Amino acid sequence: NAGVTQTPKFRILKIGQSMTLQCAQDMNHNYMYWYRQDPGMGLKLIYYSVGAGITDKGEVPNGYNVSRSTTEDFPLRLELAAPSQTSVYFCASSSSYEQYFGPGTRLTVT
Amino acid sequence: AQSVTQLGSHVSVSEGALVLLRCNYSSSVPPYLFWYVQYPNQGLQLLLKYTTGATLVKGINGFEAEFKKSETSFHLTKPSAHMSDAAEYFCAVILTDSWGKLQFGAGTQVVVTP
């Protein structure tokens, strides 16, 4: 079991570029989540999904999009990257109340 | 609105001393409560959780936490700090009807000195 995997680990984007952060889990979990972590702010929920084809906004969804075409994958799309999106992004999955986190993607927008 | 407050963004403890990290939540309905640990450049790892039942919960690495409904608190303790406990600790809550969405506190950085 790989658990929750995220790619890439690091990325530098220029302002206005777009990219997709990949997230995959092999635990057959229905629930998946994207968080961003900023210093001194804890983690904030961006989007979540309760199953394939079902997604919803979290606390800070602006500037992001998601899709969930399979149980395993939950990519996060950044369109028109902005410096405010510089952060560490974590994907998580769960089947009940315990969430399992990926190792994170560190994104810098300059 | 649900919120989670962690008192103290940085805590310094001596090796062998008590570790106490404070967490309070605001909710009229007792939520599910969690403590996560994050080591440098890593993801979050679950330390312990409270859902129902016994209010004193034991977790990994010698940590434990007690749910006190009257104080809306879920403080984390470890009797004797080890150098390997240096990390950031996050308290989090889930409301029972919120699709498992976690709401995190701001985190407490723990430094352990020899």
Side-chain angles (χ1 to χ4, degrees):
Chain A
N1 264 357
V4 179
T5 58
Q6 292 183 239
T7 56
K9 285 185 169 43
F10 304 93
R11 182 73 185 268
I12 298 174
L13 279 183
K14 294 188 185 302
I15 293 171
Q17 288 184 323
S18 62
M19 75 164 295
T20 299
L21 281 66
Q22 301 292 344
C23 174
Q25 52 95 5
D26 62 0
M27 297 173 282
N28 202 33
H29 287 167
N30 283 327
Y31 301 153
M32 295 188 74
Y33 310 85
W34 274 106
Y35 298 90
R36 58 176 289 171
Q37 182 181 24
D38 301 301
M41 302 291 288
L43 280 75
K44 302 290 187 185
L45 182 65
I46 305 171
Y47 270 95
Y48 68 101
S49 169
V50 301
I54 307 171
T55 63
D56 204 353
K57 296 177 181 179
E59 190 178 354
V60 290
N62 291 344
Y64 307 95
N65 276 299
V66 294
S67 59
R68 183 100 181 268
S69 57
T70 67
T71 300
E72 294 77 20
D73 300 299
F74 190 40
L76 178 72
R77 178 82 176 163
L78 279 71
E79 304 282 3
L80 298 175
S84 61
Q85 293 177 305
T86 293
S87 189
V88 182
Y89 292 85
F90 289 100
C91 178
S93 73
S94 75
S95 59
S96 59
Y97 294 109
E98 181 173 344
Q99 291 189 20
Y100 295 83
F101 285 79
T105 294
R106 186 175 296 274
L107 176 67
T108 302
V109 182
T110 63
Chain B
Q2 179 68 35
S3 71
V4 181
T5 302
Q6 291 183 238
L7 186 62
S9 58
H10 288 81
V11 169
S12 182
V13 298
S14 299
E15 191 174 17
L18 171 71
V19 180
L20 170 59
L21 304 183
R22 299 179 187 275
C23 174
N24 289 86
Y25 64 92
S26 62
S27 172
S28 58
V29 177
Y32 292 175
L33 298 152
F34 304 80
W35 276 98
Y36 283 86
V37 61
Q38 184 181 32
Y39 299 103
N41 299 315
Q42 293 188 26
L44 276 72
Q45 180 182 5
L46 182 67
L47 269 180
L48 48 79
K49 64 185 177 189
Y50 170 80
T51 53
T52 59
T55 56
L56 182 63
V57 180
K58 294 188 185 301
I60 62 171
N61 301 339
F63 284 93
E64 63 181 33
E66 187 171 11
F67 168 56
K68 292 187 176 180
K69 182 178 176 181
S70 62
E71 299 177 7
T72 61
S73 68
F74 191 56
H75 303 331
L76 181 71
T77 60
K78 181 174 179 177
S80 176
H82 191 272
M83 297 299 290
S84 61
D85 295 326
E88 188 155 23
Y89 293 80
F90 294 94
C91 181
V93 304
I94 293 177
L95 294 178
T96 53
D97 59 351
S98 65
W99 297 109
K101 293 181 288 184
L102 280 167
Q103 183 160 4
F104 285 88
T108 299
Q109 185 72 47
V110 172
V111 174
V112 182
T113 57

